[in-house]
PDB file of all heavy atoms in Angstrom:
ATOM      1  N   LYS T  30      84.184-149.553  26.043  1.00  0.00           N
ATOM      2  CA  LYS T  30      84.215-149.750  24.599  1.00  0.00           C
ATOM      3  C   LYS T  30      83.130-150.715  24.138  1.00  0.00           C
ATOM      4  O   LYS T  30      82.477-150.505  23.109  1.00  0.00           O
ATOM      5  CB  LYS T  30      85.597-150.231  24.163  1.00  0.00           C
ATOM      6  CG  LYS T  30      86.666-149.141  24.176  1.00  0.00           C
ATOM      7  CD  LYS T  30      86.301-148.024  23.193  1.00  0.00           C
ATOM      8  CE  LYS T  30      87.343-146.929  23.185  1.00  0.00           C
ATOM      9  NZ  LYS T  30      86.945-145.798  22.284  1.00  0.00           N
ATOM     10  N   ALA T  31      82.942-151.790  24.889  1.00  0.00           N
ATOM     11  CA  ALA T  31      81.899-152.753  24.524  1.00  0.00           C
ATOM     12  C   ALA T  31      80.518-152.113  24.645  1.00  0.00           C
ATOM     13  O   ALA T  31      79.633-152.340  23.803  1.00  0.00           O
ATOM     14  CB  ALA T  31      81.993-153.983  25.417  1.00  0.00           C
ATOM     15  N   ALA T  32      80.324-151.294  25.694  1.00  0.00           N
ATOM     16  CA  ALA T  32      79.041-150.614  25.861  1.00  0.00           C
ATOM     17  C   ALA T  32      78.820-149.594  24.747  1.00  0.00           C
ATOM     18  O   ALA T  32      77.693-149.428  24.247  1.00  0.00           O
ATOM     19  CB  ALA T  32      78.984-149.940  27.225  1.00  0.00           C
ATOM     20  N   GLU T  33      79.877-148.908  24.336  1.00  0.00           N
ATOM     21  CA  GLU T  33      79.773-147.961  23.230  1.00  0.00           C
ATOM     22  C   GLU T  33      79.334-148.667  21.946  1.00  0.00           C
ATOM     23  O   GLU T  33      78.463-148.178  21.218  1.00  0.00           O
ATOM     24  CB  GLU T  33      81.106-147.258  23.016  1.00  0.00           C
ATOM     25  CG  GLU T  33      81.103-146.235  21.904  1.00  0.00           C
ATOM     26  CD  GLU T  33      82.479-145.641  21.656  1.00  0.00           C
ATOM     27  OE1 GLU T  33      83.363-145.744  22.539  1.00  0.00           O
ATOM     28  OE2 GLU T  33      82.672-145.080  20.561  1.00  0.00           O
ATOM     29  N   ALA T  34      79.930-149.835  21.679  1.00  0.00           N
ATOM     30  CA  ALA T  34      79.545-150.607  20.493  1.00  0.00           C
ATOM     31  C   ALA T  34      78.098-151.066  20.602  1.00  0.00           C
ATOM     32  O   ALA T  34      77.357-151.089  19.608  1.00  0.00           O
ATOM     33  CB  ALA T  34      80.481-151.801  20.325  1.00  0.00           C
ATOM     34  N   LYS T  35      77.676-151.428  21.814  1.00  0.00           N
ATOM     35  CA  LYS T  35      76.297-151.846  22.035  1.00  0.00           C
ATOM     36  C   LYS T  35      75.331-150.682  21.793  1.00  0.00           C
ATOM     37  O   LYS T  35      74.238-150.864  21.230  1.00  0.00           O
ATOM     38  CB  LYS T  35      76.152-152.379  23.463  1.00  0.00           C
ATOM     39  CG  LYS T  35      74.828-153.066  23.741  1.00  0.00           C
ATOM     40  CD  LYS T  35      74.765-154.427  23.095  1.00  0.00           C
ATOM     41  CE  LYS T  35      73.501-155.167  23.457  1.00  0.00           C
ATOM     42  NZ  LYS T  35      73.382-156.443  22.724  1.00  0.00           N
ATOM     43  N   LEU T  36      75.734-149.495  22.208  1.00  0.00           N
ATOM     44  CA  LEU T  36      74.902-148.315  21.999  1.00  0.00           C
ATOM     45  C   LEU T  36      74.839-147.957  20.512  1.00  0.00           C
ATOM     46  O   LEU T  36      73.782-147.565  19.997  1.00  0.00           O
ATOM     47  CB  LEU T  36      75.437-147.145  22.822  1.00  0.00           C
ATOM     48  CG  LEU T  36      74.559-145.901  22.948  1.00  0.00           C
ATOM     49  CD1 LEU T  36      73.155-146.235  23.390  1.00  0.00           C
ATOM     50  CD2 LEU T  36      75.203-144.896  23.898  1.00  0.00           C
ATOM     51  N   ASP T  37      75.961-148.107  19.818  1.00  0.00           N
ATOM     52  CA  ASP T  37      75.942-147.925  18.367  1.00  0.00           C
ATOM     53  C   ASP T  37      74.933-148.872  17.721  1.00  0.00           C
ATOM     54  O   ASP T  37      74.187-148.483  16.805  1.00  0.00           O
ATOM     55  CB  ASP T  37      77.332-148.200  17.771  1.00  0.00           C
ATOM     56  CG  ASP T  37      78.351-147.129  18.110  1.00  0.00           C
ATOM     57  OD1 ASP T  37      77.951-146.018  18.497  1.00  0.00           O
ATOM     58  OD2 ASP T  37      79.558-147.420  17.993  1.00  0.00           O
ATOM     59  N   GLU T  38      74.906-150.103  18.201  1.00  0.00           N
ATOM     60  CA  GLU T  38      73.996-151.110  17.657  1.00  0.00           C
ATOM     61  C   GLU T  38      72.539-150.692  17.825  1.00  0.00           C
ATOM     62  O   GLU T  38      71.707-150.916  16.940  1.00  0.00           O
ATOM     63  CB  GLU T  38      74.232-152.450  18.348  1.00  0.00           C
ATOM     64  CG  GLU T  38      73.298-153.572  17.903  1.00  0.00           C
ATOM     65  CD  GLU T  38      73.412-154.815  18.771  1.00  0.00           C
ATOM     66  OE1 GLU T  38      74.279-154.852  19.663  1.00  0.00           O
ATOM     67  OE2 GLU T  38      72.616-155.749  18.564  1.00  0.00           O
ATOM     68  N   LEU T  39      72.222-150.074  18.957  1.00  0.00           N
ATOM     69  CA  LEU T  39      70.848-149.615  19.185  1.00  0.00           C
ATOM     70  C   LEU T  39      70.385-148.714  18.050  1.00  0.00           C
ATOM     71  O   LEU T  39      69.263-148.840  17.552  1.00  0.00           O
ATOM     72  CB  LEU T  39      70.767-148.866  20.518  1.00  0.00           C
ATOM     73  CG  LEU T  39      69.453-148.119  20.790  1.00  0.00           C
ATOM     74  CD1 LEU T  39      68.327-149.099  21.065  1.00  0.00           C
ATOM     75  CD2 LEU T  39      69.619-147.140  21.949  1.00  0.00           C
ATOM     76  N   PHE T  40      71.235-147.778  17.633  1.00  0.00           N
ATOM     77  CA  PHE T  40      70.864-146.816  16.607  1.00  0.00           C
ATOM     78  C   PHE T  40      70.948-147.395  15.191  1.00  0.00           C
ATOM     79  O   PHE T  40      70.503-146.741  14.246  1.00  0.00           O
ATOM     80  CB  PHE T  40      71.758-145.579  16.701  1.00  0.00           C
ATOM     81  CG  PHE T  40      71.464-144.702  17.882  1.00  0.00           C
ATOM     82  CD1 PHE T  40      72.249-144.760  19.032  1.00  0.00           C
ATOM     83  CD2 PHE T  40      70.403-143.814  17.864  1.00  0.00           C
ATOM     84  CE1 PHE T  40      71.984-143.941  20.119  1.00  0.00           C
ATOM     85  CE2 PHE T  40      70.131-142.998  18.949  1.00  0.00           C
ATOM     86  CZ  PHE T  40      70.925-143.069  20.085  1.00  0.00           C
ATOM     87  N   ARG T  41      71.507-148.586  15.046  1.00  0.00           N
ATOM     88  CA  ARG T  41      71.740-149.135  13.706  1.00  0.00           C
ATOM     89  C   ARG T  41      70.988-150.431  13.432  1.00  0.00           C
ATOM     90  O   ARG T  41      70.917-150.871  12.290  1.00  0.00           O
ATOM     91  CB  ARG T  41      73.238-149.371  13.510  1.00  0.00           C
ATOM     92  CG  ARG T  41      74.050-148.080  13.509  1.00  0.00           C
ATOM     93  CD  ARG T  41      75.534-148.332  13.593  1.00  0.00           C
ATOM     94  NE  ARG T  41      76.293-147.077  13.572  1.00  0.00           N
ATOM     95  CZ  ARG T  41      77.583-146.972  13.881  1.00  0.00           C
ATOM     96  NH1 ARG T  41      78.265-148.053  14.227  1.00  0.00           N
ATOM     97  NH2 ARG T  41      78.185-145.798  13.842  1.00  0.00           N
ATOM     98  N   GLU T  42      70.443-151.060  14.464  1.00  0.00           N
ATOM     99  CA  GLU T  42      69.813-152.359  14.298  1.00  0.00           C
ATOM    100  C   GLU T  42      68.583-152.240  13.406  1.00  0.00           C
ATOM    101  O   GLU T  42      67.735-151.369  13.587  1.00  0.00           O
ATOM    102  CB  GLU T  42      69.413-152.928  15.658  1.00  0.00           C
ATOM    103  CG  GLU T  42      68.691-154.258  15.609  1.00  0.00           C
ATOM    104  CD  GLU T  42      69.551-155.403  15.105  1.00  0.00           C
ATOM    105  OE1 GLU T  42      70.794-155.244  15.065  1.00  0.00           O
ATOM    106  OE2 GLU T  42      68.983-156.450  14.773  1.00  0.00           O
ATOM    107  N   ASP T  43      68.461-153.147  12.466  1.00  0.00           N
ATOM    108  CA  ASP T  43      67.371-153.135  11.505  1.00  0.00           C
ATOM    109  C   ASP T  43      66.024-153.275  12.196  1.00  0.00           C
ATOM    110  O   ASP T  43      65.882-153.996  13.183  1.00  0.00           O
ATOM    111  CB  ASP T  43      67.564-154.270  10.496  1.00  0.00           C
ATOM    112  CG  ASP T  43      66.581-154.174   9.347  1.00  0.00           C
ATOM    113  OD1 ASP T  43      65.492-154.748   9.471  1.00  0.00           O
ATOM    114  OD2 ASP T  43      66.911-153.520   8.348  1.00  0.00           O
ATOM    115  N   LEU T  44      65.016-152.622  11.656  1.00  0.00           N
ATOM    116  CA  LEU T  44      63.675-152.701  12.240  1.00  0.00           C
ATOM    117  C   LEU T  44      63.050-154.071  12.076  1.00  0.00           C
ATOM    118  O   LEU T  44      62.323-154.552  12.939  1.00  0.00           O
ATOM    119  CB  LEU T  44      62.757-151.659  11.583  1.00  0.00           C
ATOM    120  CG  LEU T  44      62.907-150.212  12.025  1.00  0.00           C
ATOM    121  CD1 LEU T  44      62.026-149.322  11.177  1.00  0.00           C
ATOM    122  CD2 LEU T  44      62.549-150.055  13.484  1.00  0.00           C
ATOM    123  N   GLY T  45      63.329-154.727  10.956  1.00  0.00           N
ATOM    124  CA  GLY T  45      62.576-155.935  10.647  1.00  0.00           C
ATOM    125  C   GLY T  45      63.206-157.233  11.085  1.00  0.00           C
ATOM    126  O   GLY T  45      62.504-158.216  11.298  1.00  0.00           O
ATOM    127  N   LYS T  46      64.526-157.280  11.214  1.00  0.00           N
ATOM    128  CA  LYS T  46      65.168-158.538  11.540  1.00  0.00           C
ATOM    129  C   LYS T  46      64.867-158.942  12.975  1.00  0.00           C
ATOM    130  O   LYS T  46      64.701-158.115  13.857  1.00  0.00           O
ATOM    131  CB  LYS T  46      66.673-158.433  11.341  1.00  0.00           C
ATOM    132  CG  LYS T  46      67.082-158.288   9.886  1.00  0.00           C
ATOM    133  CD  LYS T  46      68.592-158.164   9.751  1.00  0.00           C
ATOM    134  CE  LYS T  46      68.995-158.009   8.293  1.00  0.00           C
ATOM    135  NZ  LYS T  46      70.465-157.836   8.141  1.00  0.00           N
ATOM    136  N   SER T  47      64.830-160.238  13.232  1.00  0.00           N
ATOM    137  CA  SER T  47      64.518-160.742  14.559  1.00  0.00           C
ATOM    138  C   SER T  47      65.467-161.878  14.907  1.00  0.00           C
ATOM    139  O   SER T  47      65.781-162.719  14.064  1.00  0.00           O
ATOM    140  CB  SER T  47      63.073-161.246  14.628  1.00  0.00           C
ATOM    141  OG  SER T  47      62.844-161.939  15.825  1.00  0.00           O
ATOM    142  N   SER T  48      65.915-161.909  16.151  1.00  0.00           N
ATOM    143  CA  SER T  48      66.833-162.960  16.587  1.00  0.00           C
ATOM    144  C   SER T  48      66.116-164.254  16.910  1.00  0.00           C
ATOM    145  O   SER T  48      66.746-165.281  17.134  1.00  0.00           O
ATOM    146  CB  SER T  48      67.595-162.482  17.834  1.00  0.00           C
ATOM    147  OG  SER T  48      66.685-162.190  18.889  1.00  0.00           O
ATOM    148  N   VAL T  49      64.779-164.247  16.936  1.00  0.00           N
ATOM    149  CA  VAL T  49      64.016-165.436  17.300  1.00  0.00           C
ATOM    150  C   VAL T  49      63.176-165.950  16.131  1.00  0.00           C
ATOM    151  O   VAL T  49      63.130-167.142  15.842  1.00  0.00           O
ATOM    152  CB  VAL T  49      63.121-165.142  18.520  1.00  0.00           C
ATOM    153  CG1 VAL T  49      62.180-166.307  18.782  1.00  0.00           C
ATOM    154  CG2 VAL T  49      63.985-164.885  19.745  1.00  0.00           C
ATOM    155  N   ALA T  50      62.494-165.024  15.432  1.00  0.00           N
ATOM    156  CA  ALA T  50      61.606-165.451  14.349  1.00  0.00           C
ATOM    157  C   ALA T  50      62.404-166.064  13.210  1.00  0.00           C
ATOM    158  O   ALA T  50      63.566-165.726  12.983  1.00  0.00           O
ATOM    159  CB  ALA T  50      60.799-164.262  13.846  1.00  0.00           C
ATOM    160  N   ASP T  51      61.776-166.960  12.461  1.00  0.00           N
ATOM    161  CA  ASP T  51      62.444-167.630  11.356  1.00  0.00           C
ATOM    162  C   ASP T  51      62.327-166.830  10.061  1.00  0.00           C
ATOM    163  O   ASP T  51      62.579-167.351   8.981  1.00  0.00           O
ATOM    164  CB  ASP T  51      61.874-169.041  11.164  1.00  0.00           C
ATOM    165  CG  ASP T  51      60.363-169.040  10.920  1.00  0.00           C
ATOM    166  OD1 ASP T  51      59.781-167.941  10.860  1.00  0.00           O
ATOM    167  OD2 ASP T  51      59.791-170.135  10.796  1.00  0.00           O
ATOM    168  N   ARG T  52      61.934-165.564  10.163  1.00  0.00           N
ATOM    169  CA  ARG T  52      61.822-164.694   8.999  1.00  0.00           C
ATOM    170  C   ARG T  52      62.015-163.263   9.452  1.00  0.00           C
ATOM    171  O   ARG T  52      61.980-162.952  10.638  1.00  0.00           O
ATOM    172  CB  ARG T  52      60.440-164.844   8.369  1.00  0.00           C
ATOM    173  CG  ARG T  52      59.318-164.456   9.319  1.00  0.00           C
ATOM    174  CD  ARG T  52      57.940-164.602   8.705  1.00  0.00           C
ATOM    175  NE  ARG T  52      56.904-164.325   9.680  1.00  0.00           N
ATOM    176  CZ  ARG T  52      56.501-163.105  10.012  1.00  0.00           C
ATOM    177  NH1 ARG T  52      57.063-162.062   9.441  1.00  0.00           N
ATOM    178  NH2 ARG T  52      55.543-162.923  10.905  1.00  0.00           N
ATOM    179  N   GLU T  53      62.253-162.386   8.492  1.00  0.00           N
ATOM    180  CA  GLU T  53      62.319-160.968   8.817  1.00  0.00           C
ATOM    181  C   GLU T  53      60.903-160.425   8.985  1.00  0.00           C
ATOM    182  O   GLU T  53      60.028-160.697   8.174  1.00  0.00           O
ATOM    183  CB  GLU T  53      63.041-160.197   7.712  1.00  0.00           C
ATOM    184  CG  GLU T  53      64.532-160.483   7.665  1.00  0.00           C
ATOM    185  CD  GLU T  53      65.262-159.480   6.792  1.00  0.00           C
ATOM    186  OE1 GLU T  53      64.627-158.503   6.356  1.00  0.00           O
ATOM    187  OE2 GLU T  53      66.461-159.672   6.562  1.00  0.00           O
ATOM    188  N   ARG T  54      60.710-159.683  10.047  1.00  0.00           N
ATOM    189  CA  ARG T  54      59.408-159.074  10.274  1.00  0.00           C
ATOM    190  C   ARG T  54      59.389-157.663   9.699  1.00  0.00           C
ATOM    191  O   ARG T  54      60.418-157.017   9.556  1.00  0.00           O
ATOM    192  CB  ARG T  54      59.104-159.045  11.770  1.00  0.00           C
ATOM    193  CG  ARG T  54      58.994-160.441  12.371  1.00  0.00           C
ATOM    194  CD  ARG T  54      58.567-160.372  13.821  1.00  0.00           C
ATOM    195  NE  ARG T  54      58.447-161.700  14.405  1.00  0.00           N
ATOM    196  CZ  ARG T  54      58.052-161.928  15.649  1.00  0.00           C
ATOM    197  NH1 ARG T  54      57.736-160.916  16.433  1.00  0.00           N
ATOM    198  NH2 ARG T  54      57.965-163.158  16.111  1.00  0.00           N
ATOM    199  N   SER T  55      58.202-157.188   9.407  1.00  0.00           N
ATOM    200  CA  SER T  55      58.053-155.897   8.735  1.00  0.00           C
ATOM    201  C   SER T  55      57.931-154.765   9.743  1.00  0.00           C
ATOM    202  O   SER T  55      57.667-154.972  10.930  1.00  0.00           O
ATOM    203  CB  SER T  55      56.808-155.922   7.851  1.00  0.00           C
ATOM    204  OG  SER T  55      55.646-156.030   8.666  1.00  0.00           O
ATOM    205  N   LYS T  56      58.082-153.546   9.222  1.00  0.00           N
ATOM    206  CA  LYS T  56      57.823-152.373  10.051  1.00  0.00           C
ATOM    207  C   LYS T  56      56.379-152.387  10.546  1.00  0.00           C
ATOM    208  O   LYS T  56      56.106-151.999  11.678  1.00  0.00           O
ATOM    209  CB  LYS T  56      58.079-151.095   9.248  1.00  0.00           C
ATOM    210  CG  LYS T  56      59.519-150.797   8.940  1.00  0.00           C
ATOM    211  CD  LYS T  56      59.643-149.460   8.218  1.00  0.00           C
ATOM    212  CE  LYS T  56      61.074-149.124   7.893  1.00  0.00           C
ATOM    213  NZ  LYS T  56      61.186-147.821   7.198  1.00  0.00           N
ATOM    214  N   TYR T  57      55.493-152.838   9.686  1.00  0.00           N
ATOM    215  CA  TYR T  57      54.085-152.900  10.073  1.00  0.00           C
ATOM    216  C   TYR T  57      53.922-153.737  11.333  1.00  0.00           C
ATOM    217  O   TYR T  57      53.199-153.350  12.258  1.00  0.00           O
ATOM    218  CB  TYR T  57      53.266-153.498   8.935  1.00  0.00           C
ATOM    219  CG  TYR T  57      51.829-153.805   9.299  1.00  0.00           C
ATOM    220  CD1 TYR T  57      50.854-152.816   9.240  1.00  0.00           C
ATOM    221  CD2 TYR T  57      51.451-155.069   9.745  1.00  0.00           C
ATOM    222  CE1 TYR T  57      49.544-153.080   9.592  1.00  0.00           C
ATOM    223  CE2 TYR T  57      50.147-155.345  10.093  1.00  0.00           C
ATOM    224  CZ  TYR T  57      49.198-154.352  10.016  1.00  0.00           C
ATOM    225  OH  TYR T  57      47.903-154.618  10.375  1.00  0.00           O
ATOM    226  N   GLU T  58      54.584-154.896  11.395  1.00  0.00           N
ATOM    227  CA  GLU T  58      54.455-155.767  12.563  1.00  0.00           C
ATOM    228  C   GLU T  58      55.062-155.124  13.805  1.00  0.00           C
ATOM    229  O   GLU T  58      54.526-155.246  14.909  1.00  0.00           O
ATOM    230  CB  GLU T  58      55.121-157.113  12.275  1.00  0.00           C
ATOM    231  CG  GLU T  58      54.366-157.972  11.271  1.00  0.00           C
ATOM    232  CD  GLU T  58      55.122-159.226  10.918  1.00  0.00           C
ATOM    233  OE1 GLU T  58      56.076-159.131  10.126  1.00  0.00           O
ATOM    234  OE2 GLU T  58      54.771-160.303  11.447  1.00  0.00           O
ATOM    235  N   LEU T  59      56.186-154.441  13.612  1.00  0.00           N
ATOM    236  CA  LEU T  59      56.811-153.781  14.758  1.00  0.00           C
ATOM    237  C   LEU T  59      55.905-152.694  15.320  1.00  0.00           C
ATOM    238  O   LEU T  59      55.662-152.628  16.529  1.00  0.00           O
ATOM    239  CB  LEU T  59      58.160-153.190  14.367  1.00  0.00           C
ATOM    240  CG  LEU T  59      58.899-152.482  15.514  1.00  0.00           C
ATOM    241  CD1 LEU T  59      59.381-153.483  16.548  1.00  0.00           C
ATOM    242  CD2 LEU T  59      60.058-151.643  15.004  1.00  0.00           C
ATOM    243  N   PHE T  60      55.382-151.840  14.448  1.00  0.00           N
ATOM    244  CA  PHE T  60      54.563-150.728  14.922  1.00  0.00           C
ATOM    245  C   PHE T  60      53.198-151.202  15.418  1.00  0.00           C
ATOM    246  O   PHE T  60      52.589-150.561  16.276  1.00  0.00           O
ATOM    247  CB  PHE T  60      54.406-149.678  13.824  1.00  0.00           C
ATOM    248  CG  PHE T  60      55.688-148.991  13.472  1.00  0.00           C
ATOM    249  CD1 PHE T  60      56.019-148.705  12.162  1.00  0.00           C
ATOM    250  CD2 PHE T  60      56.597-148.633  14.457  1.00  0.00           C
ATOM    251  CE1 PHE T  60      57.207-148.071  11.833  1.00  0.00           C
ATOM    252  CE2 PHE T  60      57.789-147.998  14.152  1.00  0.00           C
ATOM    253  CZ  PHE T  60      58.102-147.718  12.835  1.00  0.00           C
ATOM    254  N   ALA T  61      52.708-152.319  14.878  1.00  0.00           N
ATOM    255  CA  ALA T  61      51.459-152.878  15.386  1.00  0.00           C
ATOM    256  C   ALA T  61      51.638-153.400  16.799  1.00  0.00           C
ATOM    257  O   ALA T  61      50.695-153.394  17.601  1.00  0.00           O
ATOM    258  CB  ALA T  61      50.984-154.004  14.474  1.00  0.00           C
ATOM    259  N   THR T  62      52.854-153.830  17.129  1.00  0.00           N
ATOM    260  CA  THR T  62      53.144-154.332  18.477  1.00  0.00           C
ATOM    261  C   THR T  62      53.548-153.204  19.414  1.00  0.00           C
ATOM    262  O   THR T  62      53.194-153.211  20.598  1.00  0.00           O
ATOM    263  CB  THR T  62      54.266-155.388  18.420  1.00  0.00           C
ATOM    264  OG1 THR T  62      53.880-156.427  17.519  1.00  0.00           O
ATOM    265  CG2 THR T  62      54.522-155.988  19.792  1.00  0.00           C
ATOM    266  N   PHE T  63      54.311-152.233  18.888  1.00  0.00           N
ATOM    267  CA  PHE T  63      54.821-151.133  19.711  1.00  0.00           C
ATOM    268  C   PHE T  63      54.388-149.784  19.112  1.00  0.00           C
ATOM    269  O   PHE T  63      55.208-149.052  18.552  1.00  0.00           O
ATOM    270  CB  PHE T  63      56.345-151.198  19.810  1.00  0.00           C
ATOM    271  CG  PHE T  63      56.859-152.378  20.579  1.00  0.00           C
ATOM    272  CD1 PHE T  63      57.233-153.536  19.928  1.00  0.00           C
ATOM    273  CD2 PHE T  63      56.951-152.342  21.965  1.00  0.00           C
ATOM    274  CE1 PHE T  63      57.708-154.631  20.625  1.00  0.00           C
ATOM    275  CE2 PHE T  63      57.417-153.435  22.679  1.00  0.00           C
ATOM    276  CZ  PHE T  63      57.795-154.590  22.012  1.00  0.00           C
ATOM    277  N   PRO T  64      53.099-149.437  19.221  1.00  0.00           N
ATOM    278  CA  PRO T  64      52.625-148.190  18.621  1.00  0.00           C
ATOM    279  C   PRO T  64      53.203-146.944  19.269  1.00  0.00           C
ATOM    280  O   PRO T  64      53.158-145.862  18.674  1.00  0.00           O
ATOM    281  CB  PRO T  64      51.103-148.263  18.806  1.00  0.00           C
ATOM    282  CG  PRO T  64      50.904-149.186  19.971  1.00  0.00           C
ATOM    283  CD  PRO T  64      51.999-150.195  19.868  1.00  0.00           C
ATOM    284  N   ASP T  65      53.736-147.066  20.500  1.00  0.00           N
ATOM    285  CA  ASP T  65      54.358-145.913  21.158  1.00  0.00           C
ATOM    286  C   ASP T  65      55.781-145.686  20.680  1.00  0.00           C
ATOM    287  O   ASP T  65      56.381-144.652  20.985  1.00  0.00           O
ATOM    288  CB  ASP T  65      54.381-146.116  22.679  1.00  0.00           C
ATOM    289  CG  ASP T  65      52.989-146.158  23.270  1.00  0.00           C
ATOM    290  OD1 ASP T  65      52.399-147.256  23.300  1.00  0.00           O
ATOM    291  OD2 ASP T  65      52.496-145.111  23.686  1.00  0.00           O
ATOM    292  N   SER T  66      56.356-146.644  19.990  1.00  0.00           N
ATOM    293  CA  SER T  66      57.740-146.533  19.520  1.00  0.00           C
ATOM    294  C   SER T  66      57.737-145.951  18.110  1.00  0.00           C
ATOM    295  O   SER T  66      57.691-146.681  17.119  1.00  0.00           O
ATOM    296  CB  SER T  66      58.420-147.908  19.538  1.00  0.00           C
ATOM    297  OG  SER T  66      58.568-148.372  20.860  1.00  0.00           O
ATOM    298  N   THR T  67      57.791-144.647  18.026  1.00  0.00           N
ATOM    299  CA  THR T  67      57.732-143.958  16.745  1.00  0.00           C
ATOM    300  C   THR T  67      59.001-143.153  16.523  1.00  0.00           C
ATOM    301  O   THR T  67      59.800-142.955  17.439  1.00  0.00           O
ATOM    302  CB  THR T  67      56.509-143.035  16.687  1.00  0.00           C
ATOM    303  OG1 THR T  67      56.502-142.186  17.844  1.00  0.00           O
ATOM    304  CG2 THR T  67      55.222-143.835  16.658  1.00  0.00           C
ATOM    305  N   SER T  68      59.164-142.672  15.286  1.00  0.00           N
ATOM    306  CA  SER T  68      60.360-141.913  14.888  1.00  0.00           C
ATOM    307  C   SER T  68      61.613-142.710  15.241  1.00  0.00           C
ATOM    308  O   SER T  68      62.449-142.287  16.033  1.00  0.00           O
ATOM    309  CB  SER T  68      60.371-140.535  15.541  1.00  0.00           C
ATOM    310  OG  SER T  68      59.281-139.772  15.102  1.00  0.00           O
ATOM    311  N   MET T  69      61.710-143.868  14.613  1.00  0.00           N
ATOM    312  CA  MET T  69      62.776-144.814  14.937  1.00  0.00           C
ATOM    313  C   MET T  69      64.074-144.481  14.203  1.00  0.00           C
ATOM    314  O   MET T  69      64.073-144.105  13.037  1.00  0.00           O
ATOM    315  CB  MET T  69      62.343-146.230  14.565  1.00  0.00           C
ATOM    316  CG  MET T  69      61.046-146.693  15.205  1.00  0.00           C
ATOM    317  SD  MET T  69      61.195-146.962  16.974  1.00  0.00           S
ATOM    318  CE  MET T  69      62.109-148.510  16.990  1.00  0.00           C
ATOM    319  N   VAL T  70      65.180-144.662  14.919  1.00  0.00           N
ATOM    320  CA  VAL T  70      66.523-144.684  14.338  1.00  0.00           C
ATOM    321  C   VAL T  70      67.110-146.020  14.738  1.00  0.00           C
ATOM    322  O   VAL T  70      67.519-146.209  15.884  1.00  0.00           O
ATOM    323  CB  VAL T  70      67.392-143.526  14.858  1.00  0.00           C
ATOM    324  CG1 VAL T  70      68.780-143.578  14.212  1.00  0.00           C
ATOM    325  CG2 VAL T  70      66.731-142.190  14.593  1.00  0.00           C
ATOM    326  N   GLY T  71      67.108-146.965  13.825  1.00  0.00           N
ATOM    327  CA  GLY T  71      67.419-148.332  14.211  1.00  0.00           C
ATOM    328  C   GLY T  71      66.351-148.827  15.167  1.00  0.00           C
ATOM    329  O   GLY T  71      65.155-148.803  14.858  1.00  0.00           O
TER     330      GLY T  71
END
C-alpha cells in the first residue's frame, strides 16, 4: 500500500516544486537539466 501511494506520487508530483530549493523551479529549468525527460506526467 505504501509503495502504491509512492507510485501514485510519481505520476502526480508537480514539475516545478523542489524539496531542496528555496523556490519553485520552472518547467524550463527541469527540461534544461533533463532534456531526455519528455512527455511528463507528474
Side-chain angles (χ1 to χ4, degrees):
K30 286 298 180 183
E33 181 184 342
K35 190 74 175 175
L36 192 51
D37 289 342
E38 178 190 355
L39 170 71
F40 287 100
R41 295 169 179 167
E42 177 66 15
D43 189 270
L44 283 174
K46 292 179 180 178
S47 170
S48 60
V49 172
D51 57 2
R52 61 180 175 82
E53 289 193 7
R54 296 185 180 182
S55 66
K56 289 183 180 180
Y57 171 84
E58 289 174 283
L59 180 69
F60 294 139
T62 304
F63 292 95
D65 295 87
S66 293
T67 52
S68 297
M69 304 290 285
V70 181

